[in-house]
Amino acid sequence: MVTLTWLLLTYKVPPEPAAKRIALWRRLKGLGAVYLQNGVCLLPKSEDHVRRLKMLENDIGEMGGEAVILETVALDRVQEEKVVARFKADRDEQYREFLGRCMDFEAEIAKEIAINKFTYAELEEEDIDLRKLQGWLEKIRKLDFYGAALAEDAAARLRGCEELLDAYARRVFDAHDENR
């Protein structure tokens, strides 16, 4: 059994300006950190995470705050599973939001088909939306360190959106061929 190793960041920053504190929180969440409580978060140990946390430690100091970075392991398998479950829950929350956006995308294509709106401008707009979905899923996947439950559902739903857009594109092309 491999023991998982994490980086533990504890920090304290001045309450004002709130924008800096919020920006710090966003940066940590953007790395995929899970918060154990205010000012205490974990990331899987990697060279990239070590480097990024050291940069954040410097930024925290510039904010007039304090930070400590520790390498840690769970006390036992049960504690380790609790931590992994937190990481998976955070990712599943992101996957759920992503799946909701896929539903919106599918509804938008269905609406365009229902009103026979087969224009290149609409196709381009939908293509941009699909690329946003693709980029978003890639960002979530990079932070899915332990294989969240909804990962495969999200990938499958994105494939469905890609296929839907391909079918819509064929209808746009067909509509324009008929007009020539």
Side-chain angles (χ1 to χ4, degrees):
M1 179 182 85
V2 175
T3 300
L4 300 177
T5 306
W6 293 291
L7 298 170
L8 177 75
L9 170 68
T10 65
Y11 67 89
K12 186 174 181 179
V13 294
E16 296 298 328
K20 286 187 177 184
R21 199 175 69 250
I22 292 166
L24 174 63
W25 178 84
R26 282 190 177 136
R27 286 172 64 193
L28 284 161
K29 292 303 272 183
L31 290 174
V34 294
Y35 273 80
L36 302 178
Q37 61 185 32
N38 284 339
V40 181
C41 58
L42 283 176
L43 277 167
K45 185 179 180 203
S46 73
E47 290 307 311
D48 181 55
H49 288 153
V50 168
R51 181 174 40 81
R52 290 173 185 268
L53 287 181
K54 285 185 177 188
M55 290 170 25
L56 282 171
E57 177 187 25
N58 184 58
D59 294 346
I60 290 167
E62 289 176 2
M63 292 169 62
E66 302 172 5
V68 175
I69 303 167
L70 302 171
E71 183 177 318
T72 189
V73 296
L75 180 63
D76 56 35
R77 187 74 182 157
V78 171
Q79 297 304 312
E80 186 174 277
E81 288 170 2
K82 283 183 189 178
V83 171
V84 169
R86 292 279 294 274
F87 278 100
K88 288 180 178 184
D90 279 7
R91 293 303 76 78
D92 276 338
E93 185 177 319
Q94 290 181 306
Y95 285 129
R96 266 189 288 285
E97 187 177 344
F98 173 83
L99 289 165
R101 293 281 171 86
C102 286
M103 286 175 54
D104 295 344
F105 179 84
E106 294 160 353
E108 178 65 21
I109 298 276
K111 181 187 85 166
E112 302 307 342
I113 291 170
I115 62 172
N116 290 315
K117 188 174 182 184
F118 299 110
T119 65
Y120 286 117
E122 188 60 40
L123 177 58
E124 189 172 329
E125 191 178 305
E126 301 305 338
D127 187 60
I128 289 168
D129 288 346
L130 179 67
R131 281 186 269 148
K132 287 178 185 175
L133 287 173
Q134 291 166 329
W136 186 14
L137 183 58
E138 189 55 36
K139 285 179 185 175
I140 298 170
R141 282 178 172 154
K142 286 180 182 175
L143 303 180
D144 190 1
F145 308 120
Y146 302 107
L150 293 176
E152 193 48 50
D153 291 348
R157 195 66 176 261
L158 179 63
R159 285 190 299 274
C161 289
E162 292 165 345
E163 292 166 6
L164 189 62
L165 184 62
D166 287 345
Y168 178 71
R170 283 191 294 280
R171 292 182 78 166
V172 169
F173 300 146
D174 289 346
H176 287 273
D177 286 345
E178 290 171 12
N179 294 335
R180 290 188 181 171

